[in-house]
């Protein structure tokens, strides 16, 4: 029923550069998507336009050029790195004499390959049915006339109308099932809220390393691979955080530029874990040149699902691929962690991540004035390293008078490390 293709099919890729920012896509990302779908690219056609051609999207001349390449390479499918209208898809197929798939169709196919749980499969099927409902006419052009003639007079429903009715009924069935799954999830969430267990949700651009980080932190065996959309089904695990206690960590589907609206709607139950979280761990591939753009794209999707107001901690992953980058915590002026640098692949930065989670979920900020004698200079250095110093000056006797602002869990850690001696230097 769906436009699924076997791995190993030969595809011609089409990528156009548009002058308008909102219509631009990334060619490198198309290659990643195609390789994730298990398709081999036998040719790439690029071009530039000010706006899409209404009939062929890429223009008549460019369509002829693609058709010649399809013929020469004996390609099975042409994949556009853009969203096509049903009419454009139909017109292009007539010229190319092979199947045409747009960016949405390609992402749907990858999702169909990756879905593992019953809920995930239902969500993918729902997105596929919604996408397919606008493209039904293509397969039934020879049956558009109503049934008639001897023995065929009756309700007068065309094959196309029958199919549309069946699609609508199937969509209703899936929505009912997903509603049931959502109620079960809601019960689980309510019971966690009653016990006051905080929830932390991993979000981020696809292939940023969320599942690898999830496996490192929770010591579980969630499927992780260097490909787009390796994770579709939400996975929840319980972890223990110092000074916070039991915490639920949720791994979710990765986001991508111009994520199809059908997918956002279909994965509502999955993304609900993100909307109900106390804290979002926004995982960023630190080695990606487009890290800044990817952060913006994730923020757009978070806004779309009403999760943009939830507190976030940026986790810059893959520091092993950077020169001279070490795991660390970056804090703002109030001592609150805003960024953590880690390498999930090489198991580096886990203590820093847990410390940042402890600080953020603990929520209490401590503001103190200290008078540290010269013999306690090492604590001056410690508080500067923690970015906790609001102001500092030395008196005539060499004592350091400093005001510090830091999360309560961090202060308690330092108090413990000093065996309680730091409390002797507090100015009341």
């Amino acid at each position: 029923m769906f436009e699924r293709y076997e791995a190993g099919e030969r595809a011609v890729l089409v990528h156009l550069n548009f002058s308008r920012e909102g219509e631009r896509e990334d060619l490198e990302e198309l290659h990643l998507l195609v390789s994730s779908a298990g398709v081999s690219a036998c040719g790439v056609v690029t071009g530039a336009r000010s706006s899409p051609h209404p009939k062929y999207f890429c223009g008549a001349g460019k369509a002829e050029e693609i058709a010649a390449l399809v013929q020469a390479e004996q390609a099975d499918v042409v994949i556009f790195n853009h969203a096509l209208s049903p009419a454009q898809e139909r017109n292009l197929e007539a010229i190319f004499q092979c199947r045409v798939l747009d960016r949405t169709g390609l992402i749907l196919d990858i999702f169909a390959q990756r879905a593992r749980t019953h809920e995930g499969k239902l969500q993918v099927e729902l997105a596929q049915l919604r996408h397919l409902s606008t493209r039904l006419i293509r397969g039934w052009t020879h049956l558009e006339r109503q049934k008639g003639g001897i023995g065929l007079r009756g309700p007068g429903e065309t094959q196309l109308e029958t199919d549309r009715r069946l699609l609508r009924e199937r969509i209703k069935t899936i929505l009912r099932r997903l509603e049931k799954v959502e109620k079960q999830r809601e019960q689980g969430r309510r019971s966690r809220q009653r016990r006051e267990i905080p929830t932390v949700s991993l979000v981020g651009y696809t292939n940023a390393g969320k599942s690898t980080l999830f496996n490192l932190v929770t010591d579980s065996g969630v499927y992780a691979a260097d490909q787009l959309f390796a994770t579709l089904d939400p996975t929840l695990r319980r972890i223990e955080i110092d000074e916070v206690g039991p915490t639920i960590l949720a791994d979710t589907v990765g986001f991508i530029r111009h994520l199809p609206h059908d997918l956002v709607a279909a994965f509502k139950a999955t993304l609900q874990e993100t909307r109900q979280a106390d804290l979002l761990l926004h995982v960023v591939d630190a080695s990606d040149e487009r890290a800044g753009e990817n952060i913006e794209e994730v923020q757009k999707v978070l806004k779309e699902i009403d999760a943009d107001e939830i507190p976030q901690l940026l986790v810059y992953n893959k520091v092993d691929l950077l020169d001279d980058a070490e795991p660390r915590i970056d804090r703002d002026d109030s001592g609150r962690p805003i960024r953590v640098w880690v390498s999930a692949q090489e198991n580096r930065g886990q203590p820093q991540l847990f410390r940042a989670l402890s600080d953020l979920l603990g929520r209490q900020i401590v503001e103190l004035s200290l008078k540290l004698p010269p013999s306690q200079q090492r604590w001056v250095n410690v508080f500067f390293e923690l970015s906790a110093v609001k102001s500092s000056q030395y008196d005539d006797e060499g004592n350091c008078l400093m005001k510090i602002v830091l999360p309560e869990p961090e202060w308690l850690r330092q108090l413990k490390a000093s065996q309680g001696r730091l409390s002797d230097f507090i100015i009341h």
Side-chain angles (χ1 to χ4, degrees):
M1 185 176 190
F2 305 124
E3 295 179 317
R4 294 296 309 282
Y5 39 79
E6 297 300 318
E9 268 197 275
R10 293 166 62 76
V12 167
L13 312 184
V14 181
H15 172 81
L16 300 180
N17 284 313
F18 290 102
S19 50
R20 278 202 297 245
E21 186 66 39
E23 289 171 347
R24 285 184 196 162
E25 297 294 358
D26 191 320
L27 182 56
E28 192 182 328
E29 198 166 79
L30 176 63
H31 281 288
L32 285 169
L33 284 167
V34 166
S35 118
S36 294
V39 178
S40 61
C42 60
V44 179
V45 176
T46 58
R49 286 187 68 86
S50 56
S51 62
H53 187 279
K55 190 174 181 182
Y56 298 117
F57 189 83
C58 57
K62 187 62 72 174
E64 293 296 341
E65 182 189 329
I66 298 165
L69 184 60
V70 168
Q71 193 70 35
E73 295 289 342
Q74 294 294 295
D76 307 294
V77 62
V78 175
I79 300 175
F80 276 74
N81 194 22
H82 311 272
L84 301 176
S85 71
Q88 286 167 340
E89 224 171 270
R90 202 158 54 246
N91 295 336
L92 289 167
E93 281 187 349
I95 294 177
F96 302 157
Q97 294 298 299
C98 73
R99 278 172 307 142
V100 171
L101 207 60
D102 68 353
R103 183 182 166 86
T104 304
L106 178 62
I107 293 173
L108 283 171
D109 190 273
I110 297 168
F111 271 50
Q113 291 180 44
R114 298 278 192 277
R116 285 173 172 77
T117 64
H118 175 62
E119 180 196 357
K121 287 173 182 172
L122 281 176
Q123 288 176 326
V124 170
E125 188 182 351
L126 176 61
Q128 284 181 315
L129 287 171
R130 283 175 168 162
H131 184 65
L132 194 69
S133 61
T134 60
R135 287 157 165 76
L136 261 185
I137 194 165
R138 193 171 43 183
W140 298 108
T141 48
H142 62 297
L143 292 169
E144 280 175 11
R145 284 192 300 276
Q146 291 187 342
K147 300 164 189 168
I150 295 171
L152 292 174
R153 303 181 212 278
E157 191 178 56
T158 65
Q159 181 67 50
L160 189 57
E161 286 164 348
T162 305
D163 272 27
R164 281 198 178 131
R165 180 170 48 79
L166 291 172
L167 265 183
R168 280 196 301 272
E169 287 168 7
R170 179 65 184 153
I171 287 172
K172 282 178 189 169
T173 305
I174 293 172
L175 285 170
R176 277 197 300 271
R177 288 188 188 174
L178 285 173
E179 207 175 308
K180 195 174 173 185
V181 171
E182 174 52 25
K183 280 178 184 169
Q184 290 166 347
R185 282 190 178 281
E186 193 57 50
Q187 284 173 346
R189 271 193 291 271
R190 275 203 297 268
S191 68
R192 290 199 297 275
Q193 283 165 356
R194 277 198 298 272
R195 283 178 286 166
E196 294 186 338
I197 298 177
T199 302
V200 177
S201 188
L202 287 169
V203 298
Y205 207 75
T206 185
N207 206 31
K210 292 185 298 300
S211 295
T212 308
L213 184 68
F214 183 84
N215 287 338
L216 172 67
V217 171
T218 62
D219 199 23
S220 59
V222 170
Y223 177 68
D226 184 18
Q227 53 188 199
L228 303 189
F229 303 118
T231 304
L232 285 192
D233 308 303
T235 312
L236 305 181
R237 291 287 185 277
R238 180 173 161 147
I239 57 174
E240 289 287 331
I241 297 175
D242 289 345
E243 285 117 25
V244 177
T247 305
I248 299 296
L249 186 65
D251 189 15
T252 58
V253 63
F255 301 152
I256 196 168
R257 275 177 193 74
H258 305 151
L259 190 67
H261 287 279
D262 284 345
L263 281 180
V264 174
F267 278 79
K268 192 181 164 199
T270 303
L271 297 169
Q272 196 73 8
E273 295 298 341
T274 302
R275 290 166 65 181
Q276 300 289 337
D278 296 288
L279 176 69
L280 300 181
L281 283 191
H282 183 164
V283 185
V284 180
D285 180 351
S287 66
D288 194 334
E289 295 170 358
R290 298 155 302 169
E293 293 172 37
N294 294 348
I295 290 171
E296 283 176 29
E297 291 299 328
V298 171
Q299 298 297 0
K300 281 180 195 170
V301 179
L302 288 174
K303 193 167 186 179
E304 213 170 308
I305 61 170
D306 300 322
D308 54 323
E309 296 297 321
I310 299 168
Q312 284 184 40
L313 173 66
L314 284 167
V315 181
Y316 280 82
N317 190 21
K318 308 187 185 181
V319 296
D320 51 295
L321 301 177
L322 300 177
D323 296 330
D324 304 323
E326 288 298 320
R328 67 176 193 272
I329 302 174
D330 294 341
R331 298 175 185 273
D332 62 13
D333 295 339
S334 64
R336 185 179 178 275
I338 49 174
R339 278 183 298 272
V340 182
W341 299 75
V342 303
S343 171
Q345 191 70 43
E346 294 193 352
N347 193 0
R348 290 164 59 205
Q350 193 174 348
Q352 286 88 341
L353 178 60
F354 271 84
R355 188 178 302 164
L357 286 172
S358 172
D359 292 349
L360 288 168
L361 294 170
R363 291 191 183 89
Q364 296 299 314
I365 298 291
V366 171
E367 194 164 341
L368 296 165
S369 295
L370 300 176
K371 183 179 181 180
L372 295 165
S375 61
Q376 302 297 323
Q377 179 64 35
R378 110 176 167 84
W379 292 108
V380 175
N381 299 335
V382 165
F383 290 125
F384 269 107
E385 281 172 13
L386 291 170
S387 303
V389 181
K390 202 173 179 183
S391 66
S392 70
Q393 63 183 72
Y394 286 85
D395 63 14
D396 297 337
E397 294 168 8
N399 298 312
C400 183
L401 307 172
M402 59 167 33
K403 282 187 178 178
I404 59 168
V405 179
L406 73 174
E408 189 179 44
E410 185 62 60
W411 166 248
L412 293 173
R413 260 196 301 274
Q414 300 309 326
L415 199 59
K416 188 178 177 183
S418 72
Q419 297 178 332
R421 282 198 297 271
L422 273 174
S423 57
D424 299 335
F425 308 119
I426 297 174
I427 304 170
H428 295 289

